[in-house]
Amino acid sequence: MIALALVNNKGGVGKTTSAVNLAAGLVAEGYKVLLADLDAQGSASLSLGLSRADLSPGAAEVVLDGHPVRGAIRATYVEGLDILAGSVRLASADLILSNVTGREAVLRAVLGPIRADYDFLVMDCPPSLGLLTVNALTTADYFLVPITPDYLALEGLVNLLDAVDRVRTNIGKAADLLGLVLTMVDHRLNVTAEISELIRRHYGRQVFRTEIRGNVRLKEAPSYGRTIFDYDRGSTGAEAYRALTQEVLTRIKKA
């Protein structure tokens, strides 16, 4: 199983949208995928049509209570895509895990029994650098950073990548960067071209060629509990996530 973590300590950058649709894109390529929703808001779970009542047992019960992982995973309406749901209980993860021995590797340990069941694990991380994100980084083989082309997001990116390096140094293991994904791109704004060029110039090949442009269909799809491929497969958003999926697979094969 290849594990991917979508990470950004800033909210509102399209992280959950990217996690859900990358997972669905991998399924469309014939892979069996588990989506782990590690965000207390449970947005990835709700985006796939789960109700609030369906969120437990999920990631919180598995990571915080030791609930067997197979008993918490459920199928989604997308054949080949299963989910470990997120819920508000994850908000207390830092407090509960703080005194646990090996707290940075709890997630990796609890997912051990199902590693052979899936081709890919896609983790939607909370918008913070707390223990859940650290757990995701030590579980993942690679991490992706969705980033919007604006000044504040760029500043946050520098801090994020520094933090990942500290995790790698202090713990001895952390995922490798697979790439930065420009999201919510609006080329009608002058700042978009300016910041996008700055990011590409500074980070070079670490930036995916594929850009996810701002798209009303991408915003609408979660409210119907559907991926962009099922909601509007001909939309620019669907085309972008197909392209991103292909680029992710290509990078993994070359790694």
Side-chain angles (χ1 to χ4, degrees):
M1 181 176 75
I2 297 172
L4 307 172
L6 280 86
V7 179
N8 198 316
N9 55 333
K10 185 178 185 297
V13 298
K15 179 172 52 59
T16 296
T17 298
S18 295
V20 168
N21 291 305
L22 175 59
L26 290 167
V27 169
E29 292 298 315
Y31 296 103
K32 177 75 172 175
V33 181
L34 174 63
L35 176 61
D37 185 352
L38 303 179
D39 192 343
Q41 296 183 59
S43 297
S45 307
L46 299 174
S47 295
L48 285 169
L50 275 69
S51 69
R52 292 282 176 190
D54 295 327
L55 302 183
S56 178
E61 287 71 25
V62 171
V63 174
L64 306 181
D65 301 336
H67 189 287
V69 65
R70 280 201 175 93
I73 291 172
R74 64 202 69 197
T76 71
Y77 82 92
V78 180
E79 186 176 356
L81 176 58
D82 291 348
I83 190 163
L84 183 62
S87 69
V88 69
R89 282 202 63 219
L90 290 170
S92 59
D94 278 11
L95 181 63
I96 294 174
L97 294 176
S98 60
N99 294 319
V100 174
T101 302
R103 57 187 176 271
E104 302 91 351
V106 172
L107 181 63
R108 184 177 182 85
V110 299
L111 291 176
I114 54 89
R115 293 190 71 89
D117 298 349
Y118 297 93
D119 300 306
F120 281 94
L121 165 67
V122 177
M123 293 174 280
D124 183 28
C125 298
S128 72
L129 294 175
L131 276 173
L132 283 175
T133 299
V134 171
N135 266 265
L137 287 169
T138 58
T139 299
D141 299 294
Y142 306 101
F143 72 101
L144 294 79
V145 183
I147 177 173
T148 54
D150 62 70
Y151 284 108
L152 293 179
L154 180 58
E155 186 66 28
L157 175 61
V158 175
N159 295 332
L160 172 64
L161 295 180
D162 285 346
V164 175
D165 284 340
R166 288 196 299 274
V167 170
R168 186 175 291 110
T169 299
N170 295 334
I171 299 176
K173 182 190 185 307
D176 294 324
L177 176 63
L178 192 65
L180 313 175
V181 186
L182 288 168
T183 59
M184 303 169 68
V185 175
D186 185 351
H187 283 291
R188 295 172 299 179
L189 305 176
N190 291 334
V191 70
T192 296
E194 183 179 342
I195 298 299
S196 297
E197 182 181 350
L198 184 62
I199 292 171
R200 290 189 180 280
R201 187 167 64 244
H202 185 77
Y203 292 99
R205 294 182 179 178
Q206 291 178 315
V207 185
F208 284 98
R209 294 189 305 275
T210 303
E211 294 182 351
I212 311 299
R213 300 198 177 193
N215 178 259
V216 67
R217 295 302 196 190
L218 285 172
K219 293 182 178 180
E220 292 172 348
S223 65
Y224 289 89
R226 291 292 181 265
T227 72
I228 189 59
F229 306 112
D230 293 320
Y231 183 67
D232 189 346
R233 64 182 301 104
S235 66
T236 57
E239 292 173 2
Y241 278 108
R242 284 191 199 96
L244 179 63
T245 300
Q246 291 297 329
E247 199 170 352
V248 164
L249 290 171
T250 298
R251 289 194 176 206
I252 289 172
K253 289 174 183 176
K254 291 181 177 179

